[in-house]
Amino acid sequence: MLNNEYLKRVYEEVERRDAHEPEFLQAVREVFESLELVVDKHPEWEKNGLIERFVEPERVVEFRVPWVDDAGKTHVNRGYRVQFNSAIGPYKGGLRFHPSVNLSVIKFLGFEQILKNSLTTLPMGGGKGGSDFDPKGKSDAEVMRFCQSFMTELYRHIGQFTDTPAGDIGVGGREVAYMYGQYKRIVDRFEGGVITGKGLTFGGSLARTQATGFGLCYFSAEALKHLKNDSYEGKTVVVSGSGNVAQYCAEKVTALGGKVVAMSDSQGYVYDPNGIDLPKLFDIKQKRRARISVYADEVAGAEYHEGCRNIWNVKCDIAHPCASQNEMDEKGAQALVDNGCMAVFEGANMPLTPEAIEVVKSNGLLYSPGKASNAGGVATSGLEMTQNSMRLSWSFEEVDEKLQGIMKNIYKACYDASVECGKPGDLMLGANVAGFLKVAEAMMAQGVV
Ligand code: NDP
């Protein structure tokens, strides 16, 4: 419940204007609930309409993406780019290709991205984009034609000092490469810093592919050590999803001594009591682009269960939701609690419903929001842009070391802010407050723009 009159009024206004955008409203509400204390201390924000400006994107672009499939049939998808906030740097945030993409989803992701990018300490504003195109089941040639068509419109809105997209769900190395190729062709410039997640032969950064999953584990390890004097060693871990974030989260959990016993995709989950066989998982997902059920067909002792939401019934010490928004509801969270789980660290963006967060927090589990614990991906995108500007490449170890440093600093910023707000260890509160204060200061300094 919101108590601060100013926040309440702005939220009601957002609710009225954006009533048809449930994910965006959910993200705004969660952040507002954390900001009550700091807004009370800054009456000048209301006078300057700071919060009203904070919830309104600077620019929203929506466009037609026509493309022709291998059979010669024309399809029309919808493309989006939400340039939410550029107070601390050029807009930065991924592109998502998934049938569930709509303006509400892109706005919620762009809004979260403002605070996430602020937490990284790098100079990046918040943005997000994508399309309701589904790359699943499409040929490489179809994906290429779609990406080229998408970029043929997007190119005029982006640039290394304006807006720099990256990958997200459904957009990996293949899609980024096709989009970069088209951008380069149109503008006739090798402007590497315009998009991140590029291939290593044309300006990509070592460790970018691994960064979100690895960073999630660096953040979580820091929280476990600092708040519980504990570690991943000997822990049973459930990782939902089996895409980019989930794969490298599973790899790092295993390297740090944990055992990942379950992973999923949107259809169902696999349970492997012996611990997920990572080379097999990478082969199925990265080479064959097959369903997670194939894992159970090919690994002795592993089971496949229909229905991805049931993955939270698997007993574990630590849960890493790494698939999509609202993938864990109250029931899933309660199942974790009942099975003695000690921590939920988010890899995906907003994977827990507000009710699930309530269950997790009120039962004393450690909890970190995605905007803090998955920020390693965008942070390493920032490092990719730095290397592009310097025209050199750092080694895997150099990038990984910087990533570790950034994740530790993000943890510290969240923890310190939680202490200042009188709720030590409330990392959700800390992430929202720490991320917001920097953006607020920059917005106030720059006047009413
Ligand atoms: P991928 O496309 O590589 O993988 C997504 C995974 O989640 C797949 O296993 C997919 O299954 C599953 N999934 C997608 N939608 C749903 C759904 N509605 N219900 C259940 N499962 C679903 O994406 P990423 O790994 O890159 O992204 C995962 C999450 O992490 C997203 O929330 C994203 O915003 C966030 N994130 C990603 C970053 C990155 O660097 N890539 C950075 C920071 C956050 P299926 O194959 O069946 O669709």
Side-chain angles (χ1 to χ4, degrees), residues 127-380:
K128 198 83 187 187
S131 172
D132 56 1
F133 172 74
D134 188 358
K136 231 178 266 148
K138 306 288 190 300
S139 69
D140 281 352
E142 288 172 331
V143 171
M144 180 183 76
R145 287 194 293 274
F146 175 82
C147 289
Q148 290 176 340
S149 180
F150 185 85
M151 187 51 85
T152 301
E153 171 60 31
L154 187 70
Y155 91 92
R156 65 187 89 241
H157 308 290
I158 61 175
Q160 59 172 329
F161 300 115
T162 320
D163 182 359
T164 61
D168 191 75
I169 291 180
V171 179
R174 175 181 62 170
E175 291 76 15
V176 167
Y178 287 146
M179 285 190 274
Y180 181 61
Q182 183 72 351
Y183 179 85
K184 183 165 63 64
R185 185 183 189 195
I186 296 171
V187 303
D188 197 20
R189 278 195 309 272
F190 197 100
E191 194 188 318
V194 73
I195 190 165
T196 55
K198 297 182 293 297
L200 294 176
T201 53
F202 52 96
S205 173
L206 285 161
R208 171 61 187 93
T209 309
Q210 293 83 355
T212 309
F214 279 20
L216 166 61
C217 296
Y218 296 146
F219 180 99
S220 310
E222 195 63 20
L224 286 168
K225 186 171 80 182
H226 182 233
L227 295 170
K228 296 267 183 202
N229 194 24
D230 210 334
S231 73
Y232 276 107
E233 194 62 50
K235 299 290 185 301
T236 300
V237 181
V238 166
V239 178
S240 66
S242 49
N244 171 269
V245 180
Q247 288 168 26
Y248 292 101
C249 168
E251 183 177 303
K252 189 53 80 179
V253 165
T254 310
L256 294 174
K259 181 159 84 167
V260 178
V261 295
M263 294 185 75
S264 60
D265 60 21
S266 56
Q267 311 296 305
Y269 74 91
V270 288
Y271 171 65
D272 185 347
N274 300 316
I276 294 287
D277 175 339
L278 294 169
K280 174 62 80 179
L281 174 81
F282 289 173
D283 176 57
I284 293 169
K285 283 291 163 185
Q286 294 177 6
K287 293 216 174 79
R288 292 191 261 163
R289 293 181 185 267
R291 309 309 302 158
I292 195 80
S293 57
V294 172
Y295 182 93
D297 295 339
E298 298 182 5
V299 176
E303 300 162 9
Y304 176 68
H305 299 265
E306 290 285 340
C308 54
R309 280 175 181 265
N310 296 328
I311 193 172
W312 309 119
N313 294 330
V314 175
K315 185 173 165 54
C316 65
D317 301 307
I318 299 169
H320 286 306
C322 295
S324 198
Q325 66 270 8
N326 293 326
E327 57 166 300
M328 189 195 295
D329 59 14
E330 197 177 354
K331 223 172 107 205
Q334 192 58 51
L336 288 177
V337 170
D338 293 345
N339 281 325
C341 177
M342 66 183 287
V344 179
F345 299 114
E346 295 183 349
N349 286 308
M350 207 168 78
L352 271 66
T353 63
E355 297 76 23
I357 295 175
E358 181 54 32
V359 170
V360 164
K361 287 176 74 178
S362 64
N363 281 282
L365 276 69
L366 281 186
Y367 168 70
S368 73
K371 65 171 76 73
S373 41
N374 73 25
V378 72
T380 308

Side-chain angles (χ1 to χ4, degrees), residues 16-32:
R16 190 185 64 76
R17 287 164 123 185
D18 302 326
H20 52 292
E21 295 175 359
E23 291 86 0
F24 178 57
L25 291 174
Q26 183 182 334
V28 170
R29 188 166 186 104
E30 184 218 285
V31 170
F32 276 18

